[in-house]
Amino acid sequence: MKALLDRARSFRRRVEFESGEYRRLADGQYPEALFITCSDSRVIPALITGARPGEIFELRNAGNIVPPHGRPGASGEAATIEYALEVLGVQDIVVCGHSHCGAMGALKSGDDLSALPGVDLWLQLARPRLAPVLDGVIEDPRLPDIAQLNVVNQLAALRSHPAARRRLDDGRLRLHGWYYEVDTGQVHELDEDGLFRVHAA
């Protein structure tokens, strides 16, 4: 923690605030995309995309889960999606899963999460649509397959949100599914045929 604190204290000296870039950010934000990904500390959207401050609006939680529209109670996810679309006017949303995901690993192995009731309740949002893989004929499904199917499922959940659905119908919104490999740095993109592929830069 000391190293983090020291870097925070010296941030102003390490970054060129005189360039005007940060003063422009104070006037408002105009991100290009909403980036939905896992809270995992190894997944850093700005590092993966090379985004500068102000270029991406982030939504992070365990397992990059998008609760379907209409669930009772307040939802930080629903609020973030709504704000990104209705106020910031983003035209692209990326749902990015990743390798070595603890949330997907817990679902794969059927871990007893009774000591983590909040985690257990949260992951139940993803489990029903993963059931064909988790409870299907495949004896030991691969973790990448589960994580990638979860990305597809969360894209479907996004389509249930009215603000997203309207923009998709009008051609004003594009959805993207990504799968990031922590150990290789490769980004697999979901193609129209439903497969994740690595594309040349």
Side-chain angles (χ1 to χ4, degrees):
M1 184 62 200
K2 184 181 184 307
L4 296 176
L5 184 57
D6 287 345
R7 289 196 293 269
R9 288 172 174 165
S10 66
F11 179 63
R12 190 176 187 284
R13 292 194 308 274
R14 291 183 290 112
V15 174
E16 184 50 67
F17 278 87
E18 300 306 316
S19 69
E21 177 183 4
Y22 285 87
R23 282 195 293 276
R24 285 191 297 275
L25 289 175
D27 293 333
Q29 59 172 323
Y30 307 96
E32 296 178 25
L34 169 61
F35 199 98
I36 302 173
T37 194
C38 188
S39 302
D40 193 299
S41 62
R42 300 165 293 181
V43 180
I44 306 169
L47 189 62
I48 295 167
T49 63
R52 298 284 302 154
E55 289 184 341
I56 54 176
F57 198 60
E58 294 183 23
L59 170 56
R60 303 185 66 167
N61 62 45
N64 43 269
I65 293 171
V66 177
H69 175 71
R71 292 185 69 245
S75 166
E77 289 75 22
T80 300
I81 292 164
E82 187 176 274
Y83 189 84
L85 294 172
E86 300 283 14
V87 178
L88 299 177
V90 300
Q91 296 181 355
D92 291 272
I93 300 179
V94 176
V95 176
C96 181
H98 68 98
S99 67
H100 308 87
C101 180
M104 296 302 107
L107 288 171
K108 176 183 184 295
S109 61
D111 290 351
D112 177 9
L113 298 174
S114 55
L116 302 168
V119 173
D120 190 29
L121 192 62
W122 178 250
L123 293 184
Q124 292 313 311
L125 292 173
R127 195 178 201 299
R129 297 192 72 169
L130 290 172
V133 173
L134 297 175
D135 305 328
V137 294
I138 302 173
E139 184 174 326
D140 187 22
R142 296 172 59 243
L143 184 56
D145 294 334
I146 295 169
Q148 290 175 9
L149 176 58
N150 184 57
V151 168
V152 172
N153 292 343
Q154 303 318 313
L155 289 169
L158 257 176
R159 293 184 184 96
S160 74
H161 288 257
R165 192 168 55 246
R166 283 194 306 273
R167 283 164 175 75
L168 287 166
D169 290 345
D170 295 344
R172 293 181 291 143
L173 179 64
R174 294 173 296 270
L175 301 182
H176 310 269
W178 291 5
Y179 174 77
Y180 170 68
E181 287 186 347
V182 169
D183 52 329
T184 68
Q186 287 188 316
V187 174
H188 302 245
E189 300 170 48
L190 179 63
D191 283 343
E192 291 182 1
D193 61 5
L195 298 176
F196 284 83
R197 292 188 174 90
V198 176
H199 293 271

